[in-house]
Amino acid sequence: MGAASSIREHLDAVAVVDHHVHGAFVEPVSRARFEFALNEASTVDLPAWDSVWDTQLGFAIRARCAPLLDLEPHADVDAYWARREELGAAEVARRLTAASGTDAWLVDVGFTEGVCTPEELAAMAGGSSHEIVRLEQVAEVAVAAGGSYAEAFRAELARRLAEPQAVGCKTIVAYRTGFVLDWSAVADAEADALADRWRDAGGLRVDDPRLLVFGIRCAIDAGVPLQFHVGFGDRDERLDHTNPMHLIDLLREHPDAPIALLHCYPFEREAGYLAQGFAGVHMDVGLAINYVGARSRSLIARSLELAPFRKILYSSDAYGPPELHLLGSRLWRDGTASVLEGFVADGDWSERDARRVATLIAADNARRLYRL
Amino acid sequence: MGAASSIREHLDAVAVVDHHVHGAFVEPVSRARFEFALNEASTVDLPAWDSVWDTQLGFAIRARCAPLLDLEPHADVDAYWARREELGAAEVARRLTAASGTDAWLVDVGFTEGVCTPEELAAMAGGSSHEIVRLEQVAEVAVAAGGSYAEAFRAELARRLAEPQAVGCKTIVAYRTGFVLDWSAVADAEADALADRWRDAGGLRVDDPRLLVFGIRCAIDAGVPLQFHVGFGDRDERLDHTNPMHLIDLLREHPDAPIALLHCYPFEREAGYLAQGFAGVHMDVGLAINYVGARSRSLIARSLELAPFRKILYSSDAYGPPELHLLGSRLWRDGTASVLEGFVADGDWSERDARRVATLIAADNARRLYRL
Amino acid sequence: MGAASSIREHLDAVAVVDHHVHGAFVEPVSRARFEFALNEASTVDLPAWDSVWDTQLGFAIRARCAPLLDLEPHADVDAYWARREELGAAEVARRLTAASGTDAWLVDVGFTEGVCTPEELAAMAGGSSHEIVRLEQVAEVAVAAGGSYAEAFRAELARRLAEPQAVGCKTIVAYRTGFVLDWSAVADAEADALADRWRDAGGLRVDDPRLLVFGIRCAIDAGVPLQFHVGFGDRDERLDHTNPMHLIDLLREHPDAPIALLHCYPFEREAGYLAQGFAGVHMDVGLAINYVGARSRSLIARSLELAPFRKILYSSDAYGPPELHLLGSRLWRDGTASVLEGFVADGDWSERDARRVATLIAADNARRLYRL
């Protein structure tokens, strides 16, 4: 067996830890809702002349999910949808999530509308389920509690992290303000005063930069892994304000804090630089893998530059359509196999190292980071 | 016939709509002037030890234009120039522009010194000619008119857009100020006052940021496609201030406005993100294709990431040497064929989709956007 | 002999001028110190669960240096270290530096702790040795001199540049403040006053932005080649503040000044843009080549976009482990051969041009720039 096939077989077989994912649709959804869920960046319907299927993600679904629904690869869109309806949402979800080969699901439970729970995901797909606590949700509970916000935040965070399924935290400060912030410590009194103002204003969505920083620093103090949404997301964010270099003051203060930079597109190189420079910084290119589809090989290759191999993680960041849970894994497996086969063919890596690094990224790094 | 050859044959044959181009040299020019026209970024002569031919563009001309002048590919520079002189400027222009396979030319008539008119271009090369109105030129007419600048601008813009050949507008705000601007609405009175000051100062070149914004917002109000020069250009601009993310406030206010981001290098990924996030945003990688030559495959591949396939356009942005009109098309055809063949070979795209997307980018998307 | 093998043979044989390098370890060092020297970005020890060998650099050492120590490629780390100890530091240094095929070493003598001198490097490895004067070191001598800092700086700079081995200057302003600076002229009186304050504060490390600009402008006035550290380096710098576009005000004022942008990762495209736009600007992708290892082909390819081929230079930026001196050359040779073979295979370049451009980058451009 040649090096190439050996690497590809390993990548086909290795179990992954999906260290950042959401629930899947398991109930029937309309085609309009399904299609809407495929457009990450936009928050409105497409014009009549456009189609969400004419994207790398749309092509990837037809190429890689169709066969799991007993269709030919590249089945046309109507045939794909008809077969989906015929099989039913639950069966489609079961087939696609199970085929992802996922051993553990670390589910962001910050936003769960219309999708299955972590336990349902694991029961359907196999593997264990774990939870990632979203800091902005903790903030919204804390502000509603009344009294000292700072104390309420820490108490709620401790309570959530004490639950056996909790393995880490996540922040979406990228969406709320971006990273161009004063990252310095926020005194309890300052947090309390800002929270009072926020509560008076309705207390709906935390978007005060200092309160966001307060929460992030509480999570770092708690010593748990902290995930940052970085780069690619919807148009509510300014992509350029989510360049992870803007985190550097915080990282310099906490170089060993266990941090995971999520997605990172198109800042993979900056993320790799930080992963090399700071002992605690990890990174993945999840979410973006699905959305760039056929171009995910190149994205995966870029993630294998400066970042030490023990700092790179796998995630799908799937939310809703179970196609996304499958594709995250399938595209990562195929793209990683292609990239590593190339390294081996060029004499840069040994075949044995290629398999070993694949396993590190697939699962071992996440198991160590999250103490699974 | 295999998938690869079928895709390449399709790319060789498909007619393109060059949605952003300028006139060609059809009169004889000196070798010095010709060479000067090949250096996009610089505005001065090269030192004696340098040569504009030792660039990707220079190599691309020798590789791809020489055969159309009956020379071997990679002919040496002196032989190329001698043959050019022998054939004459008009014959060279005819051969090269015709070989581009262009069905429609959308000509930016904002700067036309020494080059043929849109009608002459179409007569020589085949295809139809159309005009893109440059907003900064409209501004310069409006300021000269006296009276209310705001009214004069709108009137001149309406007059220009009412001409049958006019199909859209273009702004070079990237060169004048960059995109780091206050994009909010400019009241007529403010525009009038600023224009008075500009007129008093001589009224030569519009570079007041608010007047530039005024013109851009007028074009959006007019509902016509609006092209933005983005990224790569000459050294008068600060490349980092032309990151299209700096347009986001304007785009959030007008998410459906028909906008085309031109060139985009090295911000293709940011442009793709905006094309996915905003219904009206389109993009191309013209101009840069010619200047990166052998590396244009990689550039084209990067443009096929987040941008929906119905939002990607073709342009050469050629100006002056008809070599640029040919190369824009030739490199786009070859690079796109290579990239799409790769997607098909990897199982990511079907051959049929590859041909279909090639046609969308070559012409159909532009025909829909500009209502050709 | 086919085009591919001819290009590769040329790249294997061509002598390089390493226009930016440091001394090598020639005395025995502990394994801990050796490993520490392999982590460019970090300034502290790795956690127990990490390993500097599980990086692209670590894999590159095992792939490409092991055979020069009579081991199989990809030898395991313990075996590699044991063999290194067995051969002895001096023999290892001799073998690895000599195998780099370097004809001239331009050594940055700004920081020399624990490494050999330029003369020792050349004696061991072959080739000639030259010196690059670090401006920040000149500043530290000048402030210690007392009296007018401006006069002392110019006198010390002139003294250093008058030494026969001196061929240029280098600045690490990227580390000290980044490039987001006021680049305008600094009057002597202003420099003197700032230096007085700096001297009073201890005079250790120059990090006043205006004093840094003062020194840089003195070097430009002296007319010698000036190297800027750009992009990738240790975590003391803010990567985003070392985007070379932030140099543009200085470059516009001195478009012909002989400048070399070093490393540039991940701003290779911005560096290429500047190299095309300004007659005096050159660039390399040294240092980064070693640290991205198997991905250096892609990096080299990106450096061959906008930058004119007579403006691209070779460097290793090796410091300490002689593995870095060898790898800089070996990876550059292999990566350049692969990239150029691809250009020729695609019909974009002739084989003859490929060999010619390889020689320009390897040595001829540097010989011209530094008047070797």
Side-chain angles (χ1 to χ4, degrees):
Chain A
M1 186 172 64
S5 62
S6 145
I7 291 170
R8 195 156 293 268
E9 283 179 14
H10 181 70
L11 262 303
D12 281 344
V14 67
V16 298
V17 171
D18 191 342
H19 89 110
H20 183 75
V21 65
H22 305 261
F25 290 158
V26 291
E27 305 289 334
V29 294
S30 69
R31 181 161 164 182
R33 182 162 177 213
F34 180 86
E35 293 183 355
F36 185 79
L38 297 182
N39 187 347
E40 177 69 16
S42 186
T43 50
V44 290
D45 291 331
L46 296 184
W49 51 260
D50 205 356
S51 164
V52 77
W53 295 96
D54 274 352
T55 59
Q56 289 285 12
L57 175 59
F59 282 23
I61 289 174
R62 290 168 48 222
R64 299 183 189 257
C65 301
L68 289 163
L69 309 190
D70 315 313
L71 301 169
E72 292 295 308
H74 319 299
D76 79 34
V77 172
D78 290 338
Y80 186 84
W81 188 255
R83 178 63 183 157
R84 226 184 170 284
E85 295 279 75
E86 189 175 59
L87 285 169
E91 172 63 9
V92 168
R94 195 197 57 72
R95 287 192 187 189
L96 294 172
T97 59
S100 71
T102 305
D103 212 40
W105 304 89
L106 278 58
V107 183
D108 173 0
V109 291
F111 188 65
T112 57
E113 195 188 320
V115 297
C116 68
T117 66
E119 295 72 24
E120 288 167 341
L121 180 60
M124 167 172 73
S128 58
S129 69
H130 311 270
E131 286 187 17
I132 299 294
V133 176
R134 202 185 276 198
L135 293 178
E136 290 73 21
Q137 208 182 42
V138 172
E140 286 149 24
V141 170
V143 78
S148 163
Y149 173 82
E151 283 172 28
F153 187 96
R154 280 189 295 264
E156 173 67 8
L157 181 63
R159 189 188 69 73
R160 293 289 301 276
L161 290 174
E163 290 173 14
Q165 70 274 28
V167 294
C169 294
K170 180 197 177 189
T171 174
I172 55 165
V173 62
Y175 281 125
R176 297 293 168 88
T177 60
F179 297 158
V180 184
L181 293 181
D182 169 7
W183 289 101
S184 66
V186 182
D188 281 13
E190 183 188 350
D192 290 351
L194 289 167
D196 286 344
R197 244 174 290 165
W198 172 33
R199 194 185 296 111
D200 293 345
L204 290 177
R205 222 175 79 142
V206 57
D207 53 15
D208 178 89
R210 297 296 287 160
L211 287 181
L212 290 159
V213 169
F214 177 82
I216 288 164
R217 297 182 66 106
C218 285
I220 291 175
D221 290 344
V224 291
L226 173 58
Q227 304 176 342
F228 280 81
H229 175 106
V230 174
F232 179 47
D234 71 43
R235 73 190 194 189
D236 279 355
E237 76 174 39
R238 271 199 62 150
L239 194 64
D240 49 336
H241 289 188
T242 69
N243 183 329
M245 286 309 299
H246 294 299
L247 298 173
I248 199 161
D249 290 340
L250 185 70
L251 298 177
R252 283 177 177 156
E253 197 182 335
H254 302 282
D256 302 313
I259 282 174
L261 307 176
L262 305 176
H263 329 315
C264 298
Y265 182 95
F267 304 114
E268 310 86 34
R269 294 193 166 108
E270 285 80 357
Y273 173 82
L274 295 171
Q276 192 196 27
F278 295 94
V281 174
H282 299 68
M283 70 174 286
D284 77 33
V285 286
L287 180 66
I289 286 185
N290 279 351
Y291 281 86
V292 303
R295 287 283 298 157
S296 53
R297 281 165 192 71
S298 167
L299 172 61
I300 290 166
R302 293 196 303 279
S303 74
L304 291 164
E305 295 186 355
L306 291 184
F309 304 141
R310 300 188 190 186
K311 308 285 209 70
I312 306 174
L313 304 167
Y314 162 75
S315 79
S316 67
D317 197 20
Y319 182 98
E323 279 82 353
L324 301 174
H325 298 74
L326 181 278
L327 277 181
S329 164
R330 194 65 253 161
L331 290 170
W332 178 82
R333 292 171 189 275
D334 287 351
T336 302
S338 289
V339 171
L340 301 192
E341 281 170 12
F343 291 167
V344 171
D346 290 333
D348 290 311
W349 286 32
S350 73
E351 189 188 330
R352 194 165 143 256
D353 281 325
R355 286 194 307 264
R356 185 171 63 83
V357 169
T359 307
L360 285 172
I361 299 172
D364 288 357
N365 292 337
R367 287 199 184 104
R368 190 248 316 139
L369 177 63
Y370 296 97
R371 304 167 189 263
L372 301 182
Chain B
M1 186 172 63
S5 62
S6 145
I7 291 169
R8 194 158 292 269
E9 283 179 16
H10 180 71
L11 262 303
D12 281 344
V14 68
V16 298
V17 171
D18 192 342
H19 88 110
H20 183 76
V21 64
H22 304 260
F25 289 158
V26 291
E27 305 287 337
V29 296
S30 70
R31 180 161 165 181
R33 180 157 179 218
F34 180 86
E35 293 183 354
F36 185 79
L38 299 181
N39 187 348
E40 176 70 17
S42 187
T43 51
V44 291
D45 291 331
L46 296 183
W49 50 259
D50 204 354
S51 163
V52 77
W53 295 97
D54 275 353
T55 59
Q56 289 285 12
L57 175 60
F59 282 23
I61 290 174
R62 291 168 48 222
R64 297 180 191 259
C65 301
L68 289 163
L69 310 190
D70 316 312
L71 300 169
E72 292 295 308
H74 319 298
D76 79 34
V77 172
D78 290 339
Y80 185 84
W81 188 255
R83 178 63 182 156
R84 226 184 171 284
E85 296 278 73
E86 190 175 56
L87 285 170
E91 172 65 9
V92 168
R94 196 196 57 72
R95 289 191 186 189
L96 292 172
T97 57
S100 70
T102 305
D103 211 40
W105 304 90
L106 277 58
V107 183
D108 174 0
V109 291
F111 188 64
T112 57
E113 197 188 320
V115 297
C116 67
T117 65
E119 295 73 25
E120 289 166 343
L121 181 59
M124 167 172 74
S128 58
S129 69
H130 311 270
E131 288 188 17
I132 299 292
V133 176
R134 203 185 276 196
L135 294 178
E136 291 72 22
Q137 209 183 40
V138 173
E140 286 149 25
V141 171
V143 78
S148 162
Y149 173 82
E151 283 172 28
F153 187 96
R154 278 189 296 263
E156 173 67 8
L157 181 62
R159 189 188 69 73
R160 293 288 302 276
L161 290 174
E163 291 173 12
Q165 70 274 27
V167 294
C169 294
K170 180 196 177 189
T171 174
I172 55 163
V173 62
Y175 281 124
R176 297 293 168 88
T177 60
F179 298 156
V180 184
L181 292 181
D182 170 8
W183 289 101
S184 65
V186 182
D188 280 13
E190 184 187 350
D192 290 351
L194 290 166
D196 286 344
R197 242 175 290 165
W198 172 32
R199 193 185 297 112
D200 292 346
L204 290 177
R205 224 177 77 143
V206 56
D207 54 15
D208 179 90
R210 297 296 286 161
L211 286 181
L212 290 159
V213 168
F214 177 82
I216 288 164
R217 297 181 66 106
C218 285
I220 290 175
D221 290 344
V224 293
L226 173 58
Q227 303 177 342
F228 281 81
H229 175 107
V230 174
F232 178 48
D234 72 40
R235 75 189 194 192
D236 279 355
E237 75 174 40
R238 273 199 61 150
L239 196 62
D240 49 336
H241 288 187
T242 69
N243 183 329
M245 286 308 299
H246 293 299
L247 298 174
I248 199 161
D249 290 339
L250 185 69
L251 298 177
R252 283 178 178 157
E253 197 181 335
H254 302 282
D256 302 314
I259 282 174
L261 307 176
L262 306 175
H263 329 316
C264 298
Y265 183 95
F267 305 114
E268 310 86 35
R269 293 191 166 108
E270 286 79 358
Y273 173 82
L274 294 171
Q276 193 197 24
F278 295 93
V281 175
H282 299 68
M283 70 174 285
D284 77 33
V285 287
L287 180 68
I289 285 184
N290 279 351
Y291 281 85
V292 304
R295 286 283 298 158
S296 52
R297 280 165 192 73
S298 166
L299 171 62
I300 290 166
R302 294 196 304 278
S303 73
L304 292 163
E305 296 186 354
L306 291 184
F309 304 142
R310 301 188 190 187
K311 308 286 209 69
I312 307 174
L313 304 167
Y314 162 74
S315 80
S316 67
D317 198 20
Y319 182 99
E323 280 81 353
L324 301 175
H325 299 73
L326 181 278
L327 276 181
S329 164
R330 194 64 254 160
L331 290 170
W332 178 81
R333 292 171 190 276
D334 287 352
T336 302
S338 290
V339 171
L340 302 192
E341 281 170 13
F343 291 168
V344 171
D346 289 335
D348 290 312
W349 287 30
S350 73
E351 189 188 330
R352 194 165 144 256
D353 280 325
R355 286 195 305 266
R356 184 171 64 84
V357 169
T359 307
L360 285 172
I361 300 172
D364 288 357
N365 292 336
R367 287 200 183 103
R368 190 249 316 140
L369 176 63
Y370 296 97
R371 304 169 190 261
L372 301 182
Chain C
M1 185 171 66
S5 60
S6 145
I7 291 169
R8 194 157 293 270
E9 283 179 15
H10 181 69
L11 261 305
D12 281 344
V14 67
V16 298
V17 172
D18 191 341
H19 89 111
H20 184 75
V21 65
H22 304 260
F25 290 158
V26 292
E27 304 289 335
V29 295
S30 69
R31 180 163 165 180
R33 179 156 180 220
F34 180 86
E35 294 183 354
F36 185 80
L38 298 181
N39 187 349
E40 177 69 17
S42 186
T43 50
V44 291
D45 291 331
L46 296 183
W49 50 261
D50 204 354
S51 163
V52 77
W53 295 96
D54 275 352
T55 59
Q56 289 285 11
L57 175 60
F59 282 24
I61 290 174
R62 290 169 47 223
R64 298 179 190 262
C65 301
L68 290 163
L69 308 190
D70 317 311
L71 301 169
E72 293 294 308
H74 320 298
D76 80 34
V77 172
D78 289 340
Y80 186 84
W81 188 256
R83 178 63 181 156
R84 228 186 168 283
E85 295 279 73
E86 188 175 58
L87 285 169
E91 172 64 8
V92 168
R94 197 196 56 72
R95 288 192 186 189
L96 293 173
T97 58
S100 70
T102 305
D103 211 41
W105 304 90
L106 277 58
V107 183
D108 173 0
V109 291
F111 188 65
T112 56
E113 195 188 320
V115 296
C116 68
T117 66
E119 296 72 25
E120 289 166 342
L121 180 59
M124 167 172 73
S128 58
S129 69
H130 311 271
E131 287 188 18
I132 299 293
V133 177
R134 201 184 278 197
L135 293 178
E136 290 72 21
Q137 208 182 43
V138 173
E140 286 149 25
V141 171
V143 78
S148 163
Y149 172 81
E151 284 173 27
F153 187 96
R154 279 189 296 263
E156 173 67 9
L157 181 61
R159 189 188 69 73
R160 293 289 302 274
L161 290 174
E163 290 173 13
Q165 70 275 27
V167 293
C169 294
K170 180 197 177 189
T171 174
I172 55 164
V173 62
Y175 281 124
R176 296 294 168 89
T177 60
F179 297 156
V180 184
L181 292 181
D182 170 6
W183 289 101
S184 64
V186 182
D188 280 13
E190 184 188 349
D192 289 351
L194 290 167
D196 285 346
R197 244 174 288 163
W198 172 32
R199 193 186 297 112
D200 292 347
L204 290 178
R205 223 176 78 141
V206 57
D207 52 16
D208 179 89
R210 298 295 288 160
L211 286 181
L212 290 159
V213 169
F214 178 82
I216 288 164
R217 296 181 66 106
C218 285
I220 291 175
D221 290 344
V224 292
L226 173 58
Q227 303 176 341
F228 281 81
H229 174 108
V230 174
F232 179 48
D234 73 39
R235 74 188 194 191
D236 279 355
E237 75 174 39
R238 272 199 62 150
L239 195 63
D240 49 337
H241 288 188
T242 69
N243 183 328
M245 286 307 299
H246 293 299
L247 299 173
I248 199 161
D249 289 341
L250 185 69
L251 299 177
R252 283 178 177 156
E253 198 182 336
H254 302 281
D256 302 315
I259 282 175
L261 306 177
L262 306 175
H263 330 316
C264 298
Y265 182 96
F267 305 113
E268 310 86 32
R269 294 192 166 106
E270 284 82 356
Y273 173 84
L274 295 171
Q276 194 198 25
F278 295 94
V281 175
H282 299 68
M283 68 174 286
D284 77 33
V285 287
L287 181 65
I289 286 184
N290 278 351
Y291 281 86
V292 303
R295 286 283 298 158
S296 52
R297 280 164 192 74
S298 167
L299 172 62
I300 290 166
R302 292 197 304 279
S303 73
L304 292 164
E305 295 185 356
L306 291 184
F309 304 142
R310 300 188 190 187
K311 308 287 208 67
I312 306 175
L313 304 167
Y314 162 74
S315 79
S316 67
D317 198 20
Y319 182 98
E323 280 80 354
L324 300 175
H325 298 74
L326 180 279
L327 276 181
S329 164
R330 193 65 254 160
L331 290 170
W332 177 82
R333 292 170 189 275
D334 288 351
T336 301
S338 290
V339 171
L340 301 192
E341 282 170 12
F343 292 167
V344 171
D346 289 333
D348 289 312
W349 286 31
S350 74
E351 189 188 329
R352 194 167 145 254
D353 281 324
R355 287 195 305 265
R356 185 171 64 83
V357 169
T359 308
L360 285 171
I361 300 173
D364 288 358
N365 291 337
R367 287 199 184 103
R368 191 248 316 139
L369 176 63
Y370 296 97
R371 305 168 188 262
L372 300 183

